[in-house]
Amino acid sequence: MSSAFQQCIHPDCSQKYDLGQILTACPACQSLLDVAYDWDQVPVPSHLKEFEARWTDRRTPVNFSGVWRFRELISFPRDEQIVTIGEGQTILQQNDQLAKVAGLNSGSLFLQYEGLNPSGSFKDNGMTAASTHASMVGAKMTACASTGNTSASLAIYAGVSGLFQCVVFVGSGRIAYGKLSQALDYGARTLQILGDFDDALARVREVCAEHPIYLCNSVNPFRLEGQKSIMYRILEGLSWEVPDWILVPGGNLGNSSAFGKAFLELKQLGLIDRIPRLAIINAEGADTLDSLVNAESLNWNEGRSDSEMIRDFYRLMDEEDRRANTLASAIEINRPVNLVKALRSLNVCDGVVRSVSDQEIVDARARIAASGFGCEPASGASLAGLLQLREEGLIAPSDRVACVLTGHQLKDPDLTVAYHMDDPKKRAEKLQPAGVNETPFANSPVVVENSKAAIVAALGL
Ligand code: F0G
């Protein structure tokens, strides 16, 4: 076995598996798997700063990549096995305007723009790692279920690398057009399942279990290894100082799972001296984690979380036919596959979970766009969560906070336009059914006659 291997996360099992096996759950006990390392055999630098030297080497793809620049911390492939398309060139922006809105001290709020990835979302951090593993095991076809971004990401990696064909399963009717257009453009075989994301994920897992198709959803432990790099880049942006809080929207809980693992490993390796707190922000219409953690007191329990409680929760959800429902379609997920790993992250990071309404999400999204590079609705949950946690007083004005903005503003232009346009039809179709009745940060276009005089008058000149 090499210095990297797969390992069951359940402490009563902890079974190890070779890197070459294609697994999305422990064959022995069905728990989730980690990629784990025998760190004694990995040449990890003695200080995180040493990774910075690779910045200057733009012509070596594995150094240029904002994921593989940190490859000793994600050391399952050899350099020549890595499939990269230049992901992870993302920015940590200090945003004092929003710091003021949130009642944080100037210089305390940072936005991590993962929308700057090649396919426009954080998914590329994980997809480079999953594609690398798919290539290592000789996969010819890859697949995923998606609310949109995973499919865009998988499609771009399959298209650019030319290594495998890909098929994406999307729920019908819910996917934002920017994302659907990407999957189609990049050449993915696209199946619109007559159901929602939870249905699509269940179906793709069934199909991949019986056919030689490599599954790239975040139950794939290799994907999460790549997503750890988002945290490395936040630390890098802060000159390797650990922030007080990380806020991230929670959907399938892959990011939150990866972030906790990243910090746990960095602490174990002595590369950081403390771990930031993590806030996972659900949409109110897709709040399984919030309900289980806050209302039912579900916790990690040293790896033995109450699986019966989770089963009962899902059983009731099915009986009542409760479906996820939020304008933030990226996180419209009621059965997060990484639930248990997210519990581990909450434990590692002394984390909290909150839910925010669609009104709060779309307003936060508009405020981010008005003062930063912009993001899609789900990402707005990070700022909406921050406002809530500031109001509670859990986050202090002097705390240093990093909000992860997971997807690009142009992913869901329909919603953005519906928010800004003062159009009763668009409002009635898109916003009002979700309880969004106000658009306080709208920047509506002014309709003006086709004449210089009318334009000058409209400009108040
Ligand atoms: N933000 C965006 C923009 C997303 O696309 C997703 C997930 C999340 C947040 C939630 O992240 O699953 O790690 O908790 N999108 C998936 C998809 C489910 O299919 O594109 P998570």
Side-chain angles (χ1 to χ4, degrees), residues 4 12 43 49 66 81 100 108 128 133 198 203 237 289 300 321:
D12 298 335
K49 201 170 167 40
Q81 294 174 316
K100 200 167 172 193
S108 293
T128 181
H133 186 249
D198 292 313
R203 299 295 83 74
L289 184 70
W300 169 239
D321 196 25

Side-chain angles (χ1 to χ4, degrees), residues 291-359:
S291 301
L292 282 169
V293 168
N294 291 322
E296 308 290 336
S297 303
L298 181 70
N299 60 39
W300 169 239
N301 192 24
E302 291 172 9
R304 299 176 187 86
S305 55
D306 189 342
S307 48
E308 210 164 307
M309 181 193 285
I310 301 171
R311 260 198 310 275
D312 285 350
F313 185 88
Y314 287 150
R315 196 178 311 129
L316 192 65
M317 199 161 81
D318 287 343
E319 275 169 24
E320 294 174 355
D321 196 25
R322 256 188 287 139
R323 295 275 166 178
N325 186 8
T326 167
L327 281 179
S329 58
I331 52 174
E332 193 179 58
I333 297 170
N334 256 354
R335 289 174 182 269
V337 291
N338 289 297
L339 179 67
V340 177
K341 281 188 178 177
L343 296 175
R344 177 174 68 183
S345 291
L346 290 170
N347 178 259
V348 167
C349 301
D350 188 16
V352 298
V353 186
R354 294 291 183 272
S355 293
V356 289
S357 69
D358 279 3
Q359 179 77 59

Side-chain angles (χ1 to χ4, degrees), residues 25 34 39 45 49 56 62 112 114 123 162 178 194 232 241 337 362 394 412 441 459:
D34 269 338
W39 291 110
K49 201 170 167 40
T56 53
V62 291
Q112 176 68 18
E114 288 304 310
K123 301 286 179 181
L194 299 176
Y232 306 151
E241 275 180 32
V337 291
V362 295
L394 197 58
D412 194 351
F441 306 104
L459 290 174

Side-chain angles (χ1 to χ4, degrees), residues 122-123 146-150 250-255 330-331 333 376 378 406:
F122 77 88
K123 301 286 179 181
S146 184
T147 55
N149 282 324
T150 306
N252 229 357
L253 304 176
N255 260 342
I331 52 174
I333 297 170
E376 67 166 280
T406 44

